[in-house]
Amino acid sequence: MRSISLAVAVAMLVFCSAAAAATVPVTQLSGDFGATNPSVASTNDGVQFGVYANGGSAGGSLYYRGANGLTLSQITALGFSESHNTTNDSPISAPYLRVFLEDQDADGLEEDVIFDPTECATIVPAENTSNHFDVVGGDVRYDDDGCDGVPPDQQPWATVIAAHGGEIITGIYISAGFTGGDDLSALVTDLTVNSTTFCFNCQPTASGPVVTTTFVREPARVNTAASTLASTAKNCTANVRKLHAPKRRGLLFLTTRASLRGKALRVNGRTITVNLTNKPEGNYNVRLTSRYRRHSGKVVTIKTTRNLSVACS
C-alpha cells in the first residue's frame, strides 16, 4: 500500500509541475502580441527586428498585453532569449525589456521598469549568440530609460517591487534599437511571463492554443515614427471600433478628447468611436487627452495612446 501511495504522490507531483508551467508556441503577432511597426515581424526562427541602418535612431518593439491589469508584484517570473548583430560591434545594441505601468511621471508619460542587459553600457552582451536574460533575477531601473545617473539607478527587481509592487501593468515590451549600432538586427526566440513561456520559434501542436485578436494599448512614449503601410495592403470593409477613456483610481473623470492621425474623433462621455472602414491593413494610433478631478478639487490632464490593428479577413 505504501509503495502505491508513493507512486501516486510522485505522479501527482509530476502532473502538478506540468500544469504549473506551460510552453505556448506563438507563430504570429496577434491576440496578446503585436509589433509597434513593420520592422518587427514573426518568422520561423523567432521574432525578427530590423535591419536598422542606424540603431541609434531607428528601432521597434514586440509587445505583450496578456499581463495587463496585473500589479507589478504579481510578476513572479520574467525573462527572454535573444541574439543580435551589428557591423560595428556596438556595446549598447542588445534588446531590452520594459514593463509599462499605469502611473504617470511629471511629463504625463507612463512609468516603466526597464531591464537593460548592458546595465548602462557597463556590460557587453555577446553578439551572434543566444543570450537568455532573467529579468526578475537581475537588476532593473525604474523610470530611467536613459541612465540619468541619479540614484538608485540599477537596483534588484525585489527593491522595485517593494516600492512599486502595487502599480498596474499596461504592457510588456521587448525592444531593439533607439540605442546604437550600425546595421542592427535582432532575433527574440522566447518570452517567459510567470508560469508561461511563449516560444516564437516552435511549431504549434494540433491541440495547441489558438491566438486570436484585435487591439492593444500602446504606451505613448513608444516611437512609432517608422511605422508605414505596405503598398500591397488590403482595404477592409465595415470596421468600427469603440474605445473608452481609462478610469483612474481616486480621480473623477471629466472629459476626453481623441484624435487619429491629427483628426478629431467623435466622443460621447468616455466612449470614443473610431471608424476604420475601408482603411488599409496596419496599425492606427489613437491619442487621448483626458481630464480628471482629484478629491482636493485639482484638475489633472492625462495623455494616453491606444493602438488599433486592422487585419482584413
Side-chain angles (χ1 to χ4, degrees):
M1 249 343 242
R2 181 174 299 174
S3 61
I4 294 176
S5 298
L6 179 60
V8 171
V10 170
M12 289 180 65
L13 180 61
V14 171
F15 176 80
C16 290
S17 298
T23 298
V24 178
V26 177
T27 57
Q28 58 181 335
L29 301 184
S30 60
D32 283 340
F33 288 94
T36 57
N37 63 54
S39 71
V40 181
S42 178
T43 72
N44 289 337
D45 296 322
V47 178
Q48 176 73 44
F49 295 72
V51 177
Y52 306 115
N54 183 346
S57 61
S61 300
L62 163 72
Y63 56 73
Y64 172 66
R65 68 182 293 267
N68 290 12
L70 297 179
T71 62
L72 193 60
S73 63
Q74 288 179 290
I75 299 298
T76 56
L78 184 63
F80 67 101
S81 299
E82 64 80 31
S83 59
H84 63 284
N85 178 67
T86 61
T87 55
N88 65 339
D89 297 325
S90 171
I92 56 173
S93 57
Y96 47 96
L97 182 146
R98 290 171 292 174
V99 181
F100 282 94
L101 304 166
E102 198 170 67
D103 283 20
Q104 310 227 346
D105 61 19
D107 297 321
L109 298 176
E110 289 173 305
E111 308 277 16
D112 69 343
V113 177
I114 180 170
F115 174 82
D116 165 19
T118 75
E119 296 192 8
C120 295
T122 62
I123 295 175
V124 183
E127 290 193 8
N128 299 306
T129 189
S130 180
N131 300 304
H132 179 75
F133 300 116
D134 177 9
V135 176
V136 169
D139 285 351
V140 295
R141 301 191 299 274
Y142 180 83
D143 195 32
D144 181 15
D145 287 8
C147 301
D148 60 17
V150 178
D153 298 315
Q154 295 289 141
Q155 54 190 306
W157 173 269
T159 301
V160 173
I161 293 298
H164 305 282
E167 296 182 22
I168 307 298
I169 295 171
T170 60
I172 296 175
Y173 283 61
I174 299 176
S175 305
F178 305 119
T179 50
D182 294 342
D183 301 314
L184 168 63
S185 63
L187 188 73
V188 171
T189 54
D190 62 66
L191 168 66
T192 297
V193 181
N194 290 343
S195 61
T196 303
T197 295
F198 299 99
C199 178
F200 302 117
N201 61 354
C202 299
Q203 293 302 311
T205 61
S207 58
V210 177
V211 182
T212 57
T213 130
T214 62
F215 70 87
V216 302
R217 174 176 180 172
E218 180 181 7
R221 74 174 69 187
V222 176
N223 185 341
T224 56
S227 180
T228 56
L229 296 174
S231 59
T232 57
K234 298 180 290 184
N235 285 3
C236 303
T237 53
N239 193 345
V240 178
R241 311 285 181 88
K242 299 286 186 181
L243 298 179
H244 297 88
K247 294 181 179 179
R248 301 285 178 178
R249 272 181 303 185
L251 299 178
L252 174 66
F253 171 79
L254 298 176
T255 61
T256 191
R257 290 182 289 109
S259 65
L260 175 64
R261 297 184 177 178
K263 294 185 178 180
L265 298 174
R266 188 173 68 186
V267 177
N268 182 11
R270 290 183 54 247
T271 304
I272 300 102
T273 301
V274 187
N275 189 349
L276 297 176
T277 300
N278 296 324
K279 296 291 186 182
E281 290 182 320
N283 293 330
Y284 293 83
N285 294 332
V286 177
R287 304 188 183 279
L288 309 180
T289 302
S290 305
R291 298 173 69 244
Y292 302 83
R293 179 177 289 117
R294 298 186 186 277
H295 292 307
S296 64
K298 181 181 179 180
V299 174
V300 295
T301 299
I302 297 176
K303 296 182 179 181
T304 53
T305 300
R306 301 289 181 86
N307 177 270
L308 300 181
S309 297
V310 173
C312 305
S313 57

